[in-house]
Amino acid sequence: MNQPLYALSAVDLTRYYRQRELSPVEVVQAVLDRIGQWEPTIGAMYLVHAQQALDAARAAEARWLAGTPCGALDGVPVTLKENIATQGMPTPLGSAATVLAPAPADAPAAARLREAGAIVVGKTTMPDFGFLGAAPSSFHPLTRNPWNPERNTGGSSSGAGAAAAAGYGPIHLGTDIGGSVRIPASFCGVFGLKPSHGRVPVYPPAAARVLGPLTRTVADAALAMQAIARPDARDYMSLPPQDIGWTSLARDVRGLRIGLWLEPTGGWQVDPEVHAAVLAAAQVFEQAGAVVEPVRDWTTMDMRMGLAHFFTMRCRVDLAAMPPERASLAAGYIRKAADIAGALTPEQTFQAFTRIQQLREATVAATQPYDFVISPVSPVLPFAADAINSGGDLPLKDSHFSAAFNQSEQPAASVPCGVSRDGLPIGLQIAGRRFDDLGVLQLSHWFEQATKLRSPWPEPPAPPAQ
């Protein structure tokens, strides 16, 4: 065992538990200690359930000693994004405008993790209503990137990305409606999976909204999927249950046809360091026998503006449902979005919806000839910690490569593919055909093993001398 306990993978933890070489109690305590070391700097946690986690760890320890673990994740520490409801805990949705009230029940993924024996050590942060691919929130203190606290984690699963990089245990669940798992995974140098829409039951369900894991290894994400992809009748948009061999990750890439989506239309360019890292990743696949072909950008400004207008109208509807004094507490970017939506006519709002459908159709058509499509996750490197986007006149560019796959309902992942000159992580997006979640995991695992890019993980600042 050459790693600290908080850094061990879920795969390794369950093996050590089975062999009685480790106790869940000492692992959970190590994770809680790690959270205590990092939190003053990165602020990834909304709630830390220290006593509840230790109590659950003692119960898991007893089950392992009796040879009766309750599931594949028994005793494994996990965190949940704070919009994934846990019974009795408020879900503020990252916003000071939200009325805090205890959740009446666990959301589907939280329930499935507990049934598998996972130990929820706490809830991670997010921006207001999950609206940003960045961290700022009117409710939570600013979450910062462990690789460089002056840089952004991405969003909206901001705390989950930071927690995974900082070593708050092996599995962290986030949600994704336009890149909210993949962008933090890219910015924080971890793996993140956005499954096919409906693969993981979500409550409340919504078009394009999915839930997926952020982990340090692809194998841990696969283990998480084995638990959270189980059915839940509350999600009326979920896929029929399917017996998927989630942990069967071996894959030969020879002969695969892979599309390379790298050059955006619209007169702007991908950051040169991101461009170079993704191009180098494409060459890794080519050298292993895959056929890699450039794919022209199939998205248009009309499609992307349709998406933007639709979500700004959601902000307007959400704020309109609140008393004015509460709505005024929402972040400025939410109130600005609502004001923008106020200028839209009913006809323009309907056109926004139809343009989203055009984006969906175009994405499926453009990617169908390929087994997989690779691209940047984000076209930019992690930007300033307190910024809400990468700036400039193109606010839609931050989710340019990610949001299309939410609308097409295709699985897509972020896997580390490089590091900038300043030590900032760069993520490669791997997207598959709809329902081929296992294929995306397999290709990601192949790339992870072929490149072995992992550098030493970031460490918290040393405590001040006494």
Side-chain angles (χ1 to χ4, degrees):
M1 196 182 308
N2 56 5
Q3 295 185 78
L5 299 186
Y6 61 77
L8 289 171
S9 71
V11 172
D12 286 340
L13 284 176
T14 54
R15 184 177 73 253
Y16 287 132
Y17 294 160
R18 188 173 298 110
Q19 296 168 348
R20 300 186 181 182
E21 295 180 29
L22 275 181
S23 159
V25 177
E26 56 188 332
V27 172
V28 167
Q29 187 60 63
V31 169
L32 293 172
D33 291 345
R34 183 71 167 179
I35 292 172
Q37 292 167 349
W38 259 122
E39 273 303 279
T41 302
I42 62 172
M45 301 300 291
Y46 158 49
L47 293 172
V48 178
H49 302 314
Q51 192 55 57
Q52 299 97 311
L54 287 169
D55 291 344
R58 293 185 189 97
E61 177 186 65
R63 290 190 294 269
W64 280 109
L65 289 173
T68 57
C70 67
L73 295 174
D74 205 357
V76 174
V78 302
T79 71
L80 303 176
K81 187 176 178 180
E82 61 101 324
N83 64 338
I84 302 170
T86 50
Q87 187 174 20
M89 296 295 152
T91 52
L93 307 179
S95 181
T98 305
V99 175
L100 298 182
D106 282 347
R112 299 296 87 76
L113 285 176
R114 291 190 202 274
E115 290 162 5
I119 297 172
V120 179
V121 296
K123 308 289 288 291
T124 54
T125 60
M126 61 185 286
D128 285 55
F129 307 117
F131 187 71
L132 294 182
S137 157
S138 65
F139 181 81
H140 303 296
L142 182 61
T143 302
R144 297 174 178 273
N145 195 320
W147 295 97
N148 180 344
E150 297 305 313
R151 297 300 181 103
N152 215 290
T153 58
S156 63
S157 302
S158 311
Y168 292 11
I171 295 172
H172 310 270
L173 295 193
T175 59
D176 190 315
I177 202 168
S180 291
V181 163
R182 289 157 290 160
I183 295 172
S186 176
F187 279 15
C188 295
V190 300
F191 178 73
L193 175 68
K194 180 204 81 69
S196 298
H197 188 267
R199 178 68 71 200
V200 177
V202 175
Y203 187 79
R209 183 169 180 249
V210 298
L211 187 152
L214 294 95
T215 57
R216 287 185 171 188
T217 68
V218 178
D220 275 0
L223 199 60
M225 288 297 295
Q226 185 173 269
I228 63 177
R230 292 170 53 213
D232 192 297
R234 289 174 288 175
D235 185 351
Y236 50 81
M237 301 174 76
S238 62
L239 298 174
Q242 188 176 350
D243 186 15
I244 295 173
W246 289 109
T247 58
S248 300
L249 296 176
R251 183 74 180 249
D252 189 348
V253 303
R254 287 176 294 181
L256 288 179
R257 191 176 180 198
I258 298 176
L260 173 60
W261 181 23
L262 188 52
E263 306 297 341
T265 56
W268 59 275
Q269 301 295 317
V270 171
D271 179 277
E273 291 189 86
V274 175
H275 191 283
V278 172
L279 196 58
Q283 292 168 352
V284 171
F285 288 111
E286 277 189 316
Q287 291 164 2
V291 178
V292 180
E293 302 173 358
V295 180
R296 295 184 64 184
D297 192 350
W298 60 85
T299 70
T300 67
M301 181 57 76
D302 278 350
M303 294 173 187
R304 296 191 293 274
M305 287 306 299
L307 198 61
H309 286 162
F310 184 86
F311 283 107
T312 57
M313 185 57 75
R314 190 191 79 175
C315 292
R316 186 170 184 82
V317 170
D318 286 346
L319 292 190
M322 299 177 183
E325 62 274 15
R326 292 221 65 88
S328 68
L329 300 176
Y333 53 80
I334 297 292
R335 290 181 277 112
K336 182 178 179 180
D339 289 343
I340 291 170
L344 298 175
T345 65
E347 290 80 10
Q348 288 173 319
T349 302
F350 182 77
Q351 286 172 351
F353 176 77
T354 62
R355 286 168 179 162
I356 290 175
Q357 304 314 300
Q358 292 166 4
L359 176 60
R360 176 188 179 117
E361 180 181 12
T363 302
V364 172
T367 59
Q368 192 60 33
Y370 303 98
D371 298 299
F372 301 93
V373 171
I374 60 175
S375 72
V377 174
S378 170
V380 299
L381 294 169
F383 42 84
D386 60 355
I388 64 171
N389 57 43
S390 59
D393 299 326
L394 296 165
L396 297 176
K397 76 177 182 181
D398 291 349
S399 59
H400 184 92
F401 293 99
S402 58
F405 294 113
N406 291 80
Q407 299 306 318
S408 68
E409 305 189 359
Q410 294 170 247
S414 175
V415 61
C417 71
V419 178
S420 76
R421 290 187 298 271
D422 294 332
L424 299 171
I426 299 170
L428 174 73
Q429 181 168 245
I430 298 177
R433 293 175 179 156
R434 193 179 178 208
F435 311 128
D436 191 18
D437 304 77
L438 180 58
V440 168
L441 284 170
Q442 289 173 334
L443 201 65
S444 300
H445 182 258
W446 181 91
F447 183 78
E448 176 187 67
Q449 298 303 306
T451 55
K452 298 191 182 298
L453 294 171
R454 182 68 59 220
S455 58
W457 292 99
E459 290 295 326
Q466 297 298 320

